[in-house]
C-alpha cells in the first residue's frame, strides 16, 4: 500500500507555544488529506479535510484559528496547533487519499502531543 | 447521519480460537467499507475495502465480508501477533466530503 509519513512521532511543548505536525505522502500524490484526533481507547475523530491549494474544511466544533492546516503541495499537509494548552494533548493522525477510483485512505504513524 | 457500530468492544481469544468481529452501519449510500488494524501508539494500517454486498476479501488469517447492513471480520486460528484494535469505517457515496466515519473499534487480545 501507499506510504504516508507523519513527523514528529511525539512532541512535548509548553503551554502557549505552537507545534507543527507534518504529513507527507511518500509515493503518491494526495489531492486530499485528513486530520484526525484520537483520545485514549476511543476511535478517530475527524478534525478537518485538507485539499491541495484550497482552504481546509473543518468539522463542527473544531477551531480553525487554533488548528491551522496548510496543504501547499500534493505531497505535504501540515497541522499547526497554536497556543497549545494541556487539553490539546492527544494523538493526532493524518491520512491521505490518491483520488480517482482509489478510495482507500492511508494513515501516518500518528503524533503524540503532550502540552505541559 | 452516517453511523458505524462495532462489537464486541473487546475480545480475548486463545491462540487458534477462531472468531468474528462485527461492524454494523447505516449510511446514505455506501461507497466503501474499510477495515483497519491499529496497534497501540500507531496509526491505522489498511486491511480491506469492500464495495458491495456479497463481496469477500481475504488476507492471511483474516477474511472480511459485507452485507447491506453489516460487515464481519473473521479471524481464523489467530496468533498473538494478531492482537490489536480493529477499526471499521464507511465512506458515503453522497454528501459533502469523502471522509470516513469510523466505529469505536474492537480491541482483540490473543493469548498464547
Amino acid at each position: 500500500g501507499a506510504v504516508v509519513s507523519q513527523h514528529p512521532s511525539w512532541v512535548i511543548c509548553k503551554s502557549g507555544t505552537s507545534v507543527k505536525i507534518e504529513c507527507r505522502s511518500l509515493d503518491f500524490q494526495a489531492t486530499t488529506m485528513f486530520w484526525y484526533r484520537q483520545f485514549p481507547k476511543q476511535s478517530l475523530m475527524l478534525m478537518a479535510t485538507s485539499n491541495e491549494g484550497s482552504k481546509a474544511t473543518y468539522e463542527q466544533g473544531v477551531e480553525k484559528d487554533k488548528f491551522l492546516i496548510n496543504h501547499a503541495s500534493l505531497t505535504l499537509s501540515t497541522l499547526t496547533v497554536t497556543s497549545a494548552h494541556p487539553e490539546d494533548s492527544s494523538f493526532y493522525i493524518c491520512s491521505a487519499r490518491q483520488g480517482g477510483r482509489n478510495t482507500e485512505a492511508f494513515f501516518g504513524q500518528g503524533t503524540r502531543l503532550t502540552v505541559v | 447521519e452516517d453511523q458505524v457500530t462495532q462489537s464486541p468492544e473487546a475480545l480475548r481469544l486463545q491462540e487458534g480460537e477462531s472468531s468474528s468481529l462485527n461492524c454494523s452501519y447505516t449510511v446514505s449510500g455506501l461507497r466503501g467499507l474499510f477495515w483497519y488494524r491499529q496497534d497501540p501508539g500507531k496509526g491505522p494500517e489498511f486491511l480491506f475495502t469492500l464495495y458491495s454486498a456479497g463481496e469477500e476479501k481475504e488476507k492471511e488469517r483474516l477474511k472480511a465480508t459485507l452485507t447491506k447492513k453489516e460487515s464481519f471480520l473473521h479471524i481464523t486460528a489467530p496468533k498473538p501477533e494478531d492482537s490489536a484494535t480493529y477499526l471499521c469505517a464507511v465512506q458515503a457515496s453522497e454528501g459533502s466530503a469523502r471522509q470516513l466515519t469510523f466505529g469505536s473499534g474492537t480491541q482483540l487480545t490473543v493469548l498464547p
Side-chain angles (χ1 to χ4, degrees):
Chain A
V3 179
V4 176
S5 177
Q6 191 173 336
H7 178 80
S9 56
W10 61 271
V11 58
I12 301 173
C13 70
K14 292 184 178 180
S15 287
T17 62
S18 296
V19 174
K20 180 184 285 188
I21 302 170
E22 292 187 348
C23 180
R24 294 180 183 273
S25 56
L26 297 186
D27 52 0
F28 68 99
Q29 293 185 328
T31 54
T32 305
M33 288 185 173
F34 305 90
W35 287 95
Y36 294 85
R37 185 172 180 176
Q38 187 175 34
F39 292 101
K41 297 193 175 182
Q42 293 188 27
S43 193
L44 284 73
M45 181 189 78
L46 180 67
M47 298 175 65
T49 302
S50 166
N51 294 295
E52 186 268 337
S54 63
K55 290 183 178 180
T57 302
Y58 290 80
E59 295 300 301
Q60 191 173 10
V62 179
E63 300 176 56
K64 62 180 181 180
D65 294 330
K66 180 167 186 62
F67 299 99
L68 301 179
I69 291 173
N70 183 280
H71 193 161
S73 77
L74 286 171
T75 59
L76 174 64
S77 177
T78 61
L79 167 68
T80 301
V81 183
T82 62
S83 187
H85 291 281
E87 56 264 32
D88 298 324
S89 299
S90 189
F91 192 56
Y92 293 87
I93 311 173
C94 72
S95 76
R97 175 176 288 134
Q98 288 176 268
R101 290 205 59 192
N102 295 315
T103 58
E104 290 88 356
F106 297 93
F107 286 80
Q109 309 95 311
T111 297
R112 170 69 60 192
L113 170 64
T114 303
V115 184
V116 297
Chain B
E1 183 180 336
D2 303 336
Q3 286 192 329
V4 179
T5 303
Q6 289 188 248
S7 62
E9 290 185 7
L11 180 63
R12 291 168 68 93
L13 300 174
Q14 289 296 133
E15 184 172 1
E17 180 185 1
S18 301
S19 188
S20 296
L21 313 182
N22 177 264
C23 171
S24 298
Y25 65 91
T26 55
V27 65
S28 54
L30 181 68
R31 183 184 178 99
L33 184 141
F34 304 82
W35 282 99
Y36 290 88
R37 168 190 171 132
Q38 186 176 26
D39 292 300
K42 301 287 181 63
E45 174 189 342
F46 172 75
L47 293 174
F48 303 109
T49 308
L50 302 167
Y51 295 103
S52 58
E55 189 174 0
E56 298 184 354
K57 287 192 177 175
E58 286 188 68
K59 179 180 178 181
E60 296 180 353
R61 294 179 291 281
L62 301 176
K63 183 169 81 172
T65 62
L66 181 65
T67 73
K68 290 186 178 180
K69 295 182 178 181
E70 58 191 350
S71 176
F72 291 94
L73 183 66
H74 306 278
I75 302 177
T76 302
K79 297 181 178 181
E81 53 261 43
D82 295 322
S83 297
T85 295
Y86 290 85
L87 298 170
C88 169
V90 297
Q91 184 186 28
S93 58
E94 300 173 10
S96 55
R98 297 155 61 212
Q99 70 260 27
L100 302 179
T101 300
F102 279 87
S104 54
T106 293
Q107 185 174 4
L108 173 66
T109 303
V110 182
L111 303 171

